[in-house]
Structure formats: C-alpha cells, structure tokens
Amino acid sequence: TNPLYSPVELGKSELKNRIVMAPLTRIRGEFDGTPNAMMKDYYAQRADFGMIITEGTWPIQEGRTWDRQPGIQTQAHIDAWREITDAVHDRDGKIIMQVMHGGRISHPEHTGPGRTVAPSAVAAPDQIRISSGKVDPVVPQALTAEELPTIVAQFVTGSRNAMAAGIDGVQLHSANGYLLHEFLAPTTNLRTDHYGGTPENRARFVIEVVRAVAEAIGAENTG
C-alpha cells in the first residue's frame, strides 16, 4: 500500500514502482567495450526497480573514459546490449541507457585516435587512471566549430544503436565534468565563437545534441 511501490507513468513508460536505479560505473565490459555475461546478470538482478539507468556508455571510442567501460558503437555492442535488455524486460523491468562522451576526462590510451577533445584546451584537474596506474591528464584538443556536427552525429548514432538494442530510452549525460558539461561550464569553455561566452552560447551545443537525438529517436525516448 506504500505509494513508493505503486505504478507511475514516466513519459511513454509505465513503471511498476517509483524506485529508479541511478547510473553506476562498474567497468565490467570487455576491453573493446562489448557488454558480457557479468553485466547481463548484474542488470537482470536489478529489474525489480521501476527503472534502471545504465552506467555511462560511450557512443564513439574517442568518448571512452575508462578501460572496460561499455560502448554502443559497434554491432557487437548492440547485440550484447540486446541480451541485457531482453533479460531486464523478461523480468518486467525498464532500462534507459546513459549515453556519455567523456571529453577531456580521458586519456589517449582510452580514446583510440591519440587525442582527447574538449570545447577548449584546458586540462582536467585530477589524474586519469590508465593501464599502468594514475597519470597526469593531457591537454585536450579544442574542437573546431567544423567538428561539432560530427560529434552531434556520434550522439545520434549511439542513441539509435541503443534503441536498436531494445533500450527503453536514452539519457544524455550532461554533468559531472564530461563533454556536454564542459561546454556548459565557464571554467572549461573558454571559446570566443558562438559556442562560448554567454550562458546562451555555452548551452548551444548541448541543445543541438538533445534536439538532434530527439528528432532521431523521439523526444519521448530522450532525457
């Protein structure tokens, strides 16, 4: 009889209770970002929550933050996440994917292309963990205005891949110092173009990402 355990409508989804599992970084995937049986068991065991939000999942390797962090870039990623979503749905659960680009909170060892990216060339304040231990962060490469549509497209593709994997919706990670937050924050966004300076300009890129994802997978599936 406790209202906490009563159903509730959230967007297009009806949750069986009002308890939502927040995203929790586990770093249990394979080295290429493919989810595995341990991750499947982990999420299936928690399907009694009204809704699960997954750990941060990278849409492109350049946005990967840690070893063994899961991705949603390749067909292997999609297929493995489908096993997880099926297991959650078999237990009458809902699962939302947190799509996350780490931006400067990463290291070239993780990102693949040999660089990290950010709105401005400002290094992260804390050390980064790589395979050999903690190291000082590198200065990220400031994204050019011409590169930004590619980053938007990467969020869109990752979100489409999530829906193809049976996910019930996506949450675009825009906090905690990662790429989208880096555009919002005046300490990490020192740009002088129309993506920097005023609060409206600093919000512009995040709004472009959210709009593009909403248009691609539906606003009702986008958070």
Side-chain angles (χ1 to χ4, degrees):
T1 60
N2 191 312
L4 185 63
Y5 301 105
S6 63
V8 62
E9 288 188 6
L10 187 63
K12 69 181 179 64
S13 297
E14 181 170 325
L15 311 187
K16 59 189 177 184
N17 61 57
R18 299 162 188 252
I19 307 172
V20 177
M21 176 177 153
L24 299 165
T25 300
R26 302 288 87 182
I27 316 181
R28 291 173 172 172
E30 301 302 322
F31 283 111
D32 67 353
T34 304
N36 53 29
M38 185 188 300
M39 289 178 58
K40 178 181 176 181
D41 288 344
Y42 172 78
Y43 284 113
Q45 288 168 354
R46 287 153 179 82
D48 285 341
F49 284 94
M51 185 172 74
I52 296 168
I53 305 175
T54 74
E55 60 207 282
T57 304
W58 42 273
I60 188 77
Q61 187 173 340
E62 191 171 76
R64 181 167 69 171
T65 308
W66 307 284
D67 274 340
R68 294 189 177 273
Q69 180 188 10
I72 190 62
Q73 181 178 4
T74 70
Q75 188 61 49
H77 295 162
I78 296 170
D79 293 343
W81 274 112
R82 168 63 76 171
E83 292 191 24
I84 292 172
T85 60
D86 286 348
V88 171
H89 292 153
D90 286 346
R91 292 161 175 78
D92 196 29
K94 302 286 186 182
I95 183 166
I96 304 293
M97 179 175 288
Q98 186 182 73
V99 178
M100 170 186 153
H101 190 304
R104 70 175 187 163
I105 310 298
S106 189
H107 187 275
E109 179 179 292
H110 300 323
T111 61
R115 67 173 190 169
T116 60
V117 297
S120 301
V122 180
D126 300 316
Q127 288 192 313
I128 305 294
R129 182 175 293 280
I130 61 173
S131 58
S132 59
K134 288 187 175 182
V135 296
D136 291 333
V138 300
V139 176
Q141 183 172 319
L143 289 163
T144 66
E146 291 73 24
E147 289 180 289
L148 295 183
T150 298
I151 305 294
V152 173
Q154 291 166 354
F155 273 100
V156 168
T157 299
S159 299
R160 282 180 169 148
N161 289 346
M163 299 304 289
I167 289 287
D168 295 302
V170 303
Q171 181 192 72
L172 300 171
H173 196 348
S174 309
N176 303 112
Y178 302 117
L179 183 66
L180 296 186
H181 187 198
E182 290 164 19
F183 273 88
L184 295 172
T187 52
T188 50
N189 184 345
L190 308 181
R191 302 174 73 98
T192 57
D193 62 6
H194 63 304
Y195 289 98
T198 67
E200 292 81 2
N201 282 353
R202 296 199 310 272
R204 189 184 308 276
F205 180 66
V206 180
I207 292 169
E208 289 178 357
V209 171
V210 174
R211 281 179 172 164
V213 171
E215 289 173 1
I217 68 169
E220 71 277 9
N221 296 314
T222 306

